[in-house]
Amino acid sequence: MNTLAHEDTCTNKRREVVLAGSGGQGLVFLGRLVGQAAARAGLRVVQTQSYGVASRGGFSKSEVIVSEAPIAYPMAMDPWGVLALTDEARRMYRQGESANRLVVFDRYLSSDPEAAGERGFPFTQESRSLNIEGSFNLMALGAFLALRPVVPYAEVLSILREDGSARGEANVEAFQHGVHLAGDS
Amino acid sequence: MSAQRSFVQGNEAVVEGALAAGARYFAGYPITPSSEIAEMAARKLPGVGGVYMQMEDEIASMAAIIGASLTGKKSFTATSGPGLSLMLENLGMAIMAEVPCVIVDVQRSGPSTGLATKPAQADVMMARWGSHGDHSAIVLAPSSVQECFDLTVRAFDLAEQLRHPVLVLSDAIVGHMREDVHFPEPEALDPITRRDPDVGPEEYVMHADGADGLPVPLPPFGSKYLVRANSSAHDPSGYPSADPGLARANIRRLHDKVEDAVEWISDYSLIGPDEPDVLLISYGASARTAEQLVVDPPTDSRPALLKLRTLWPFPDRVIRDTVASFPGVPVVVPEMNLGQIVREVQRVVGKEHPCYGYHRSDGQPIEPGELHRFVEDVVT
């Protein structure tokens, strides 16, 4: 497992991440999970969400701001990391990117070759081959947090493990697989 | 409820605040972006002996919470702009009959259905003036999840003290935002509870003020006290009357009991340097944008922020004194509408004082960068 997580979360800097894609991909769920993990780690945290009127489809995003100091503006101004689960989301955040920004995307959902400041992973294919396609978003989050450790992923894992259901187990497996994907690449 | 820090949504914090304040009845018709309040109320009220009532529309919802309050239960509802439009008629009923209750409006972009999932702050004047006739209004505006809890508790207290409906004017950003918050232990709170009148049933007059200058206690329907909740003009006992003198006295009293309480209702905070180059006055989600400029000021910038948590009755003196304490410093009022609170601020500071609104009305939050560029233009 990537140990970068614990080193980089020990900062009082404001860290902003955006989880963006399409309605129904569980982006608000992911944002909430990251936020819960941050709160458990004793960090100040704000999570916001934005979506359209459709319950499936349409641009959707969840933003998480983490800091050791109180947080004023609750939304991302210059996200350090973006998890883009649609081609639209990837393009949106690639444009005007800052030097530090990393956009993590799914190669199946967005097939353009990797550019500077981008990392693509086969989340869809991997989750299908492991028969945990319903947890593909957790696999993406695992890889994303390995590369942009705004929260210790041990906290995320401990929250996921509290859900003892079959779905919860698939989520844990997917998340850990995602961390390894990023670590091995 | 625990004293630990929790990670919860603004809408959830409203329900936690309502329960902590002693609310035991919710009637409503869920609407985005307030629906989580109804959902949480449905889940939590039965567990504390309360009642959740799913109504057929917002008109009935408002009527139901007035009725429940008259039986002695602290009552609330939640909605968004389209629903508040329907509640306004019965909001007047609650004002006229002096029935305490709390209405939460999680504002979204309008007019009409508008951008149903996107934020706005364009219900400020509806909250003040929407119900017909001369009346006052008590409106609190949270800008954080913590304030969603704290101001909901306060809303119930003010409703009971002044026997007046109180609006909590949230917005889609604050309502859907999750933050780490601190909910106090229940024993740390001392919510105002209904008490029996100081006099017997024969002497009780429901539309009168007690020795403390506040309206007399409201006994529940079915008690030995006679309670006439009358939407028509009435005498102090609630009996209908068309007498102009009684009408004048009643309207004046209903209006003045709130306006005269402005000093202790007003809740605000002032942050920033001692000698700012601009004074930002804001509320709700937009205050968070302004706060960002204060805590992390761009180079050569010295903004201060007066954050209003009470919007109505409008805190004239607070605005006047704060502006006077920074002579010549321009005022900028950012808000997610085309100009509502800025007009009140301009009225208070006068035409001579430089005072500008920064407005955005497209369902998007005001970003710190755009506000800073506007402020730079104003300052230079």
Side-chain angles (χ1 to χ4, degrees):
Chain A
M1 195 172 279
N2 195 323
T3 54
L4 189 65
H6 294 281
E7 291 164 13
D8 265 24
T9 45
C10 295
T11 170
N12 60 2
K13 279 185 187 167
R14 180 185 167 108
R15 295 273 196 195
E16 305 177 342
V17 294
V18 176
L19 314 168
S22 178
Q25 288 181 320
L27 296 155
V28 173
F29 168 71
L30 295 187
R32 194 172 168 179
L33 185 60
V34 174
Q36 275 179 312
R40 286 195 186 188
L43 295 160
R44 304 307 301 265
V45 58
V46 186
Q47 179 256 328
T48 59
Q49 56 207 48
S50 175
Y51 48 79
V53 290
S55 58
R56 294 288 180 274
F59 180 73
S60 170
K61 70 174 173 179
S62 179
E63 302 186 347
V64 186
I65 319 295
V66 171
S67 175
E68 286 188 357
I71 295 162
Y73 186 60
M75 271 155 288
M77 295 177 283
D78 182 14
W80 182 47
V82 177
L83 177 61
L85 294 183
T86 60
D87 200 46
E88 179 193 10
R90 183 183 167 198
R91 289 171 193 280
M92 188 177 292
Y93 286 97
R94 184 166 56 183
Q95 291 164 358
E97 69 188 77
S98 69
N100 274 332
R101 183 178 306 166
L102 178 71
V103 178
V104 173
F105 66 96
D106 179 78
R107 281 191 211 144
Y108 178 78
L109 298 171
S110 180
S111 52
D112 282 359
E114 235 173 52
E118 290 187 327
R119 290 292 301 278
F121 295 96
F123 302 128
T124 299
Q125 291 95 326
E126 290 283 318
S127 60
R128 276 180 189 166
S129 69
L130 294 168
N131 203 28
I132 50 172
E133 195 175 357
S135 300
F136 110 100
N137 55 358
L138 267 304
M139 189 179 289
L141 184 69
F144 179 71
L145 288 182
L147 296 166
R148 282 294 182 258
V150 282
V151 291
Y153 46 64
E155 294 286 1
V156 178
L157 261 182
S158 97
I159 295 167
L160 289 175
R161 284 190 172 124
E162 285 166 18
D163 177 1
S165 68
R167 178 62 178 268
E169 286 174 24
N171 283 346
V172 168
E173 183 185 352
F175 183 79
Q176 288 178 313
H177 193 77
V179 173
H180 285 298
L181 274 180
D184 294 343
S185 60
Chain B
M1 198 175 295
S2 79
Q4 294 176 342
R5 296 196 81 81
S6 312
F7 182 65
V8 299
Q9 196 185 55
N11 283 344
E12 295 175 50
V14 163
V15 178
E16 294 289 357
L19 294 176
R24 292 297 179 265
Y25 185 88
F26 178 101
Y29 188 85
I31 179 174
T32 300
S34 75
S35 299
E36 294 84 2
I37 298 176
E39 185 185 340
M40 286 275 295
R43 201 173 293 159
K44 293 213 159 187
L45 274 169
V48 295
V51 170
Y52 169 89
M53 187 79 84
Q54 170 64 50
M55 301 306 293
E56 66 269 37
D57 60 35
E58 290 89 345
I59 299 173
S61 303
M62 191 65 211
I65 68 165
I66 292 170
S69 182
L70 283 165
T71 72
K73 297 292 182 193
K74 289 189 180 180
S75 307
F76 71 122
T77 188
T79 189
S80 189
L84 186 62
S85 296
L86 294 177
M87 291 179 179
L88 290 174
E89 182 184 4
N90 278 329
L91 183 71
M93 165 74 192
I95 294 169
M96 189 63 146
E98 296 192 271
V99 183
C101 53
V102 171
I103 302 101
V104 185
D105 174 14
V106 186
Q107 297 169 93
R108 71 188 210 186
S109 182
S112 193
T113 309
L115 294 160
T117 61
K118 304 298 181 188
Q121 294 176 301
D123 298 352
V124 172
M125 286 298 177
M126 172 161 73
R128 172 62 185 88
W129 298 107
S131 197
H132 60 277
D134 280 317
H135 60 86
S136 191
I138 307 173
V139 179
L140 312 178
S143 68
S144 67
V145 176
Q146 185 70 54
E147 287 180 358
C148 284
F149 179 90
D150 297 343
L151 295 190
T152 300
V153 172
R154 180 124 202 272
F156 278 96
D157 281 351
L158 290 171
E160 294 295 326
Q161 285 171 299
L162 289 156
R163 277 181 50 192
H164 200 280
V166 176
L167 266 95
V168 176
L169 204 58
S170 180
D171 57 66
I173 295 174
V174 173
H176 278 167
M177 180 161 77
R178 287 183 177 82
E179 290 186 285
D180 57 299
V181 293
H182 168 78
F183 292 148
E185 296 284 3
E187 53 269 26
L189 291 172
D190 188 18
I192 290 168
T193 51
R194 299 258 177 109
R195 57 184 178 85
D196 291 333
D198 298 328
V199 296
E202 298 76 20
E203 297 169 75
Y204 179 70
V205 176
M206 72 176 283
H207 296 294
D209 298 327
D212 57 3
L214 297 171
V216 294
L218 180 65
F221 270 178
S223 73
K224 55 190 177 180
Y225 290 87
L226 183 60
V227 173
R228 293 190 189 93
N230 199 336
S231 62
S232 292
H234 47 255
D235 68 14
S237 74
Y239 199 79
S241 168
D243 179 81
L246 285 174
R248 181 167 59 244
N250 185 41
I251 292 168
R252 200 73 237 184
R253 182 179 158 273
L254 293 177
H255 179 269
D256 291 354
K257 73 173 177 179
V258 175
E259 298 299 321
D260 291 349
V262 63
E263 284 300 323
W264 59 269
I265 296 177
S266 293
D267 184 9
Y268 58 92
S269 56
L270 178 66
I271 59 166
D274 292 338
E275 294 184 4
D277 57 359
V278 66
L279 174 64
L280 305 168
I281 300 179
S282 194
Y283 57 96
S286 294
R288 299 290 289 263
T289 307
E291 192 181 341
Q292 182 66 32
L293 296 193
V294 176
V295 299
D296 189 15
T299 313
D300 299 330
S301 166
R302 288 176 286 114
L305 167 65
L306 177 63
K307 181 168 79 171
L308 304 179
R309 283 183 284 268
T310 305
L311 298 185
W312 306 109
F314 198 70
D316 285 28
R317 186 201 56 77
V318 172
I319 304 277
R320 196 181 307 115
D321 288 357
T322 307
V323 171
S325 69
F326 305 128
V329 171
V331 174
V332 171
V333 182
E335 48 184 343
M336 285 186 287
N337 56 48
L338 293 180
Q340 299 198 14
I341 284 294
V342 67
R343 295 184 182 190
E344 291 299 306
V345 175
Q346 286 169 335
R347 172 183 62 76
V348 171
V349 302
K351 289 178 182 170
E352 303 305 314
H353 196 95
C355 177
Y356 312 90
Y358 183 75
H359 307 296
R360 184 158 185 173
S361 192
D362 58 358
Q364 300 299 312
I366 297 173
E367 294 169 9
E370 61 182 304
L371 180 59
H372 172 61
R373 288 189 291 277
F374 181 80
V375 167
E376 262 189 324
D377 285 346
V378 165
V379 171
T380 55

